[in-house]
Amino acid sequence: MIEWLLAVALAAPRDPLPDGVSCNTARNAVPKEKEIAGAPEFEPPQILESPGAVAPAGRETESVKVLVRVVVCTDGIPRTPTIVISGTKEFDAAAATAVLRWRFVPGKRHGVPAAMSYTTLVRFGPVTAPQEPSGS
């Protein structure tokens, strides 16, 4: 199980980051001179685009949930997916692939963009239409 999680994490984009883009969550301290006056201490990343996950072939009718954590870099691109709660090997890979296609407004610390982790639940299964309430 660990081997395939490692494979999913290693498959994450490894292109060099553009100048000014940080993806190191260990160094998120903002120097006092860069803090923006009156800005909140912490603002989480916000989803801009979240293309849906595609279930493995032949398994579209299965209801599966996978909890995925990624690091959202200062450019809003998620990297290094980690499966927190597993569905199955195939669904985990599909969930990680889907979340890597998402785009975010990066999180901020004291008003300055900062890399931080983001955890989300990816659901697979048949889509059901909302039921109309029965009238009396």
Side-chain angles (χ1 to χ4, degrees):
M1 176 126 166
I2 297 296
E3 294 81 22
W4 75 265
L5 282 176
L6 211 64
V8 168
L10 292 175
R14 298 283 184 223
D15 296 336
L17 295 174
D19 288 341
V21 173
S22 166
C23 215
N24 186 346
T25 58
R27 288 191 229 152
N28 274 337
V30 176
K32 285 283 185 201
E33 64 274 7
K34 289 196 173 189
E35 286 184 12
I36 296 174
E41 180 180 348
F42 172 80
E43 296 175 62
Q46 301 294 315
I47 299 171
L48 278 176
E49 299 175 29
S50 57
V54 178
R59 301 183 70 183
E60 294 84 4
T61 60
E62 295 180 41
S63 291
V64 176
K65 296 176 185 172
V66 179
L67 194 64
V68 181
R69 180 176 39 244
V70 291
V71 174
V72 177
C73 300
T74 57
D75 61 357
I77 296 176
R79 293 182 172 83
T80 61
T82 303
I83 304 302
V84 179
I85 298 177
S86 178
T88 67
K89 185 164 98 169
E90 295 83 11
F91 280 102
D92 293 354
T97 298
V99 175
L100 286 174
R101 290 192 321 258
W102 292 16
R103 293 300 173 256
F104 295 82
V105 173
K108 296 178 182 176
R109 295 199 191 282
H110 300 286
V112 178
M116 57 186 68
S117 64
Y118 183 88
T119 305
T120 187
L121 185 64
V122 179
R123 292 182 172 94
F124 296 91
V127 178
T128 56
Q131 302 229 339
E132 292 293 322
S134 57
S136 338

